Amino acid sequence: MEQSLLTAILATGVIAGTPILYAALGELLCEQAGVLNLGVEGMMLVGAVTGFLVTLQSNSQWLGLGIAIVAGGLMALIHAFLTISLRANQVVSGLALTIFGTGLSGYLGQTLIGVPLAVTFKPLPIPGLSQIPILGPIFFQHDVLVYLSYVLVAVCWFGLYRTRTGLKLRAVGENPGAADAAGVNVFAVRYTYVIIGGMLAGMGGAYLSLAYAPSWLENMTAGRGWIAVALVIFATWNPAKAFWGSWLFGTVDVLGFHLQTLGITVSSFFLKMLPYIITIVVLIIVSRETKKRHVAAPGALGIPYNREER
Amino acid sequence: MLYDMIARIQFEKRSGAARSVLFFAPLLSVVVGLCFAGIFIGVTGKNPLAIYILMFEGAFGSAYGLSETVVKAIPLMLTSLAVSLAFRMQLWNIGAEGQLYMGAFGATWLALNFPDWPNYVLLPAMLALGFIMGGLWGLLPAIPRAYFKVNETITTLLLNYVAILWVDYLVYGPWKDPNGFNFPITAPFSDSAVLPSLGPTRIHAGLFLAILAAGVLYVVLKHTKWGFEIRVSGESAVAANYAGMNYIKNILLVMFISGGLAGIAGMTEVSGITQRLQHGISPGYGYSAIIIAWLARLNPWAIVIVSFVFGGLLVGGYSIQTSGLPAATVAMLQGAILFFVVGGEIFVEHRLKISGKRGNK
C-alpha cells in the first residue's frame, strides 16, 4: 500500500475515533466512580441534536458545543439520580437513558434532517507540528476539538493516577464503604463523575454533528456510544489506552470507505458491519487477557452504595 | 447545596412489599412517564394532552385500531418473553432486535426456496428454523459470556447492528425481488408460507404462539427443577455452582431459548404480516421488549397484558404522525416510562423518609 494512502487512512481514523474517544473518556470516569452508564448512545444523540440545533440558530459552533455539553450533563443527571439516590438498577436505567435519548433526539431533530450548517469546526493545522512527516498529517492537521481530546486524555490520566482527587475517585469506585469512612462524600463524587461523563458524551455527539459529518441524521451515532462502552473495557479503565483504542476503532470505521476507493469490491453492508464485529472480537480477546492478568473493573462497579448497609 | 438536599432523602425498608404498591407502581410509572415526556412535547409548542388523546383514540378507539394494537402486541409479547427469560438469570440480552431479524431471515430462506411444500410442512419448518436462527444469534454472545465473562449487554447490542445489516444486504442484494420496482423487498411468499389470520383483520396465528409461549414459560419457571435453577443462578452464580447446578450450561441454554423466542417473532412478522422479507421489518420491538419485561416484573402473564398496552402505544404513534410528530416520539415516551419504572422500584421495598439533617455516620 502506498505510504500516502496509509497516512490518509490513519489520519481519518483519528477524526473518526474522536467522538468515540470523548464518550469513552466520560464513561471511563463514570465507571471509575463505580457507576455503569449504558446511556452513552442516548446522551451522544442528544448532544448531537442540541449542538446542531443551537449552532443553526446562533451561527456559533462554540455555543452549540456548550449547549451539547450541558444537555449531555442533564441527561446524565437523570441516571445519577436514579442509580445513586434511588439505587435503581444501573443496567436498566442506562438502557432507559439510551431509549429516551434516541427518541428525544429524533423528536427534536425531525425538521433538521438535510439542513446545512453555515458554521462548523474546520481543520486548523498546528504550525510546526503539522510539518512533521507522517505524524504531522496523522495527528496535527485536524480541528480544535481533536487537539482538545489529546489534552483531555493527558489530563484524565494525570488526574486519575497522580492526584489526590483521582485517588478519591478510584477509592469510591473500588470500595465506597472505605472511602466513606475516610471522609470522602461518596454521593457527591459519584454525582460529579456521572455528570462529567454525560457532558463528555454530549461533546462526542456534538463532534459528530458539528465537525465529523456536519449535519443531523436520525440515529447518526450508529452504535458509537456502545463502542465507547466497549472501549472502556478494552482500555482496562486507563485513559491512555483509551486513546489508542479509539484510534483503532476509528480506523476500522473508515477502512470500509478506503477499501472501496482502492477498488476492493465487497458489499458496503459487510464493510459497515466491520466496526461492530471488530469491537466484539476485541472485547473477547481483552476479556480473556484481563482474566489472566487480573486487571479487573473497579470493585464496586454497578453496585449501588447504601450507607445503612455499610 | 444540592448534594445536601439529596443526601437528606433516605429510605427505610418495609417489612414486605405491599400488594397495592406492586400493582400501582407500574401503573403510576406509565402516567408519570407520560407527564415527563409531555414537558418536552409542550416545550416545542404542542399540546401533549391533545396528542395523548389522539394516540389513545388511534389505538383503542376503533375496531381497526384495536386489531392493529393486537397485531403489534404479538412480536412485543414474544420478544419480551425472550428477554425476560434471560433477565431472570441476570443475563442482559439486549439483542432481541437482532435475533428477531435472524429469525425472519431463517424463515424467509425456507419460504423462498421451498414455496411448493404444503403449509402444514412449510409453516412448522419456518417456525423451527426461525427459532434456531434466532437462538444461534443469542448463543453467539452467550459463549464468550459463559467462558470468559465478556459483557453480554454490549455484545448482544452490537450484534443487532450486524443482523440488521445482514438482512439489508439480502433485500438490497441477492434476495431482491426483480419485480419489486427496485424496493428493498424479497419476492412475496407463496400461500403455503403465510400464517392464517383471523377473519378480515391482520391478527395472525402468531398470537396463539405468543400466548402459548407465555403459558409454557410460566409453568417451566414456576413448577420445574430447571426453572428453579434459573432463578437460583440469577441470584448468585456461586450458589448455583455450590448446589451442583451447571451454571455455564444454563447460560448457553437460556440465551439460546431467549434468542429463539425472539426469532419466532421474526418468523411470525414475515409470515403473518409482511409476507416477504423487507428492510426495517421491526420498528424496535426488541428495545420495547426490555421496557415491557421490566414493567411486567418478568411475569409471563403480565407481559401479555403490558405488550397489549405497548402495542397501543405503537399504533397510537402511527396516528400522531399525521399531525406532524415524528415516529421517534414513541421511543421518547417509552424511555420516559422506563425511567419511572426503575426509579419507582425502590418504593416497592422502601418507605421514603426525608430527614431534617444530613445523616451522621
Side-chain angles (χ1 to χ4, degrees):
Chain A
M1 206 186 293
E2 258 183 272
Q3 191 199 314
S4 63
L5 181 69
L6 190 64
T7 315
I9 292 176
L10 293 175
T12 43
V14 169
I15 302 175
T18 299
I20 302 173
L21 180 59
Y22 275 115
L25 284 176
E27 180 67 14
L28 194 150
L29 293 174
C30 180
E31 289 192 19
Q32 284 280 13
V35 181
L36 177 72
N37 188 349
L38 295 180
V40 184
E41 182 86 1
M43 298 188 294
M44 281 181 88
L45 279 168
V46 169
V49 78
T50 50
F52 188 89
L53 194 64
V54 172
T55 305
L56 191 70
Q57 302 285 335
S58 67
N59 270 326
S60 159
Q61 71 274 42
W62 288 103
L63 188 66
L65 180 70
I67 297 294
I69 291 172
V70 173
L74 285 175
M75 289 284 286
L77 180 64
I78 302 176
H79 184 68
F81 180 69
L82 290 175
T83 59
I84 303 169
S85 294
L86 297 185
R87 302 201 289 268
N89 186 305
Q90 295 181 3
V91 175
V92 186
S93 169
L95 291 172
L97 199 62
T98 286
I99 295 170
F100 179 73
T102 309
L104 179 63
S105 63
Y107 178 80
L108 293 175
Q110 69 157 328
T111 55
L112 305 176
I113 299 167
V115 178
L117 271 187
V119 290
T120 55
F121 287 100
K122 298 247 160 50
L124 208 73
I126 300 181
L129 286 175
S130 60
Q131 304 304 317
I132 306 170
I134 304 173
L135 288 182
I138 294 177
F139 290 110
F140 301 111
Q141 293 188 1
H142 305 305
D143 56 87
V144 182
L145 293 182
V146 174
Y147 308 140
L148 198 60
S149 75
Y150 302 161
V151 178
L152 206 64
V153 169
V155 169
C156 284
W157 183 87
F158 187 83
L160 261 178
Y161 299 116
R162 294 287 183 271
T163 66
R164 277 189 66 84
T165 322
L167 189 66
K168 271 190 200 171
L169 165 60
R170 283 183 295 141
V172 165
E174 200 57 47
N175 189 341
D180 194 354
V184 179
N185 187 340
V186 174
F187 291 94
V189 169
R190 288 199 164 171
Y191 260 91
T192 307
Y193 288 99
V194 171
I195 292 168
I196 290 177
M199 291 163 87
L200 289 174
M203 204 164 167
Y207 187 82
L208 279 175
S209 65
L210 299 181
Y212 186 64
S215 62
W216 165 255
L217 263 175
E218 214 171 314
N219 287 325
M220 71 183 300
T221 49
R224 286 182 180 87
W226 292 97
I227 292 177
V229 177
L231 182 58
V232 176
I233 300 170
F234 169 76
T236 58
W237 294 268
N238 181 332
K241 287 188 193 162
F243 175 74
W244 301 111
S246 72
W247 191 22
L248 172 74
F249 286 111
T251 306
V252 173
D253 201 6
V254 296
L255 207 56
F257 172 76
H258 286 288
L259 284 178
Q260 274 184 328
T261 56
L262 276 173
I264 293 170
T265 48
V266 185
S267 164
S268 66
F269 294 104
F270 291 114
L271 297 175
K272 281 189 209 156
M273 285 180 201
L274 261 183
Y276 310 113
I277 293 171
I278 300 272
T279 307
I280 293 170
V281 171
V282 166
L283 212 53
I284 292 169
I285 295 168
V286 171
S287 298
R288 284 192 66 178
E289 287 298 306
T290 19
K291 221 179 152 191
K292 274 187 222 152
R293 285 185 287 130
H294 303 289
V295 190
L301 183 61
I303 306 162
Y305 179 57
N306 184 356
R307 214 168 192 189
E308 274 95 83
E309 286 171 9
R310 199 178 81 209
Chain B
M1 258 316 277
L2 179 70
Y3 290 137
D4 288 333
M5 276 170 61
I6 289 162
R8 253 179 228 163
I9 301 171
Q10 306 213 319
F11 295 98
E12 271 179 354
K13 253 209 156 80
R14 278 183 213 271
S15 48
R19 276 201 154 267
S20 60
V21 177
L22 274 179
F23 179 75
F24 282 110
L27 212 65
L28 202 66
S29 323
V30 174
V31 174
V32 184
L34 291 178
C35 293
F36 180 72
I39 298 171
F40 290 91
I41 297 175
V43 164
T44 55
K46 298 202 166 67
N47 180 354
L49 193 65
I51 285 165
Y52 292 156
I53 291 171
L54 195 66
M55 284 180 76
F56 187 84
E57 279 175 353
F60 303 105
S62 65
Y64 173 77
L66 264 174
S67 75
E68 280 302 293
T69 295
V70 175
V71 165
K72 296 284 175 225
I74 297 167
L76 288 173
M77 280 179 209
L78 285 163
T79 49
S80 306
L81 292 168
V83 299
S84 74
L85 176 66
F87 286 1
R88 273 195 186 257
M89 224 183 126
Q90 300 273 353
L91 290 170
W92 299 104
N93 178 14
I94 314 302
E97 187 78 0
Q99 291 146 13
L100 182 153
Y101 272 86
M102 291 315 274
F105 154 68
T108 304
W109 182 79
L110 277 172
L112 293 179
N113 283 288
F114 307 98
D116 300 329
W117 286 4
N119 64 352
Y120 55 85
V121 178
L122 186 53
L123 284 174
M126 284 166 68
L127 191 67
L129 195 59
F131 182 86
I132 291 169
M133 285 312 299
L136 289 177
W137 209 244
L139 197 59
L140 210 57
I143 294 167
R145 168 65 177 79
Y147 293 103
F148 316 121
K149 293 196 171 170
V150 176
N151 188 319
E152 78 283 2
T153 324
I154 305 168
T155 48
T156 50
L157 188 286
L158 290 172
L159 283 171
N160 288 344
Y161 291 95
V162 179
I164 293 169
L165 284 166
W166 168 244
V167 165
D168 276 353
Y169 162 72
L170 293 173
V171 297
Y172 281 96
W175 283 9
K176 186 150 107 181
D177 182 7
N179 306 319
F181 302 101
N182 224 17
F183 283 117
I185 52 177
T186 66
F189 289 1
S190 66
D191 286 344
S192 53
V194 173
L195 277 174
S197 60
L198 202 75
T201 68
R202 297 206 302 160
I203 301 171
H204 52 81
L207 179 64
F208 302 105
L209 283 172
I211 292 172
L212 183 71
V216 170
L217 219 53
Y218 179 80
V219 172
V220 166
L221 288 171
K222 192 130 190 179
H223 298 294
T224 67
K225 184 169 154 284
W226 187 62
F228 177 69
E229 282 190 18
I230 291 173
R231 276 182 296 160
V232 173
S233 304
E235 299 284 321
S236 154
V238 181
N241 276 325
Y242 187 73
M245 297 167 185
N246 192 335
Y247 184 61
I248 287 184
K249 188 199 87 187
N250 276 339
I251 290 182
L252 301 179
L253 197 58
V254 161
M255 284 294 284
F256 180 76
I257 297 174
S258 176
L261 283 171
I264 291 182
M267 179 271 172
T268 61
E269 280 299 286
V270 289
S271 172
I273 299 295
T274 56
Q275 298 172 12
R276 58 186 357 146
L277 186 62
Q278 61 186 39
H279 167 77
I281 47 166
S282 163
Y285 294 127
Y287 299 106
S288 305
I290 301 160
I291 308 170
I292 295 168
W294 204 254
L295 206 60
R297 304 184 147 264
L298 313 185
N299 177 319
W301 295 124
I303 283 175
V304 171
I305 296 163
V306 179
S307 296
F308 185 68
V309 175
F310 270 62
L313 200 60
L314 284 181
V315 175
Y318 293 117
S319 56
I320 58 168
Q321 280 181 53
T322 48
S323 71
L325 285 169
T329 316
V330 174
M332 181 169 76
L333 290 175
Q334 292 186 2
I337 290 169
L338 189 53
F339 280 146
F340 291 94
V341 178
V342 284
E345 204 88 317
I346 194 163
F347 298 103
V348 175
E349 280 176 25
H350 295 78
R351 224 184 285 276
L352 181 69
K353 192 183 107 191
I354 296 171
S355 67
K357 265 196 331 222
R358 231 186 102 187
N360 290 322
K361 49 175 193 283

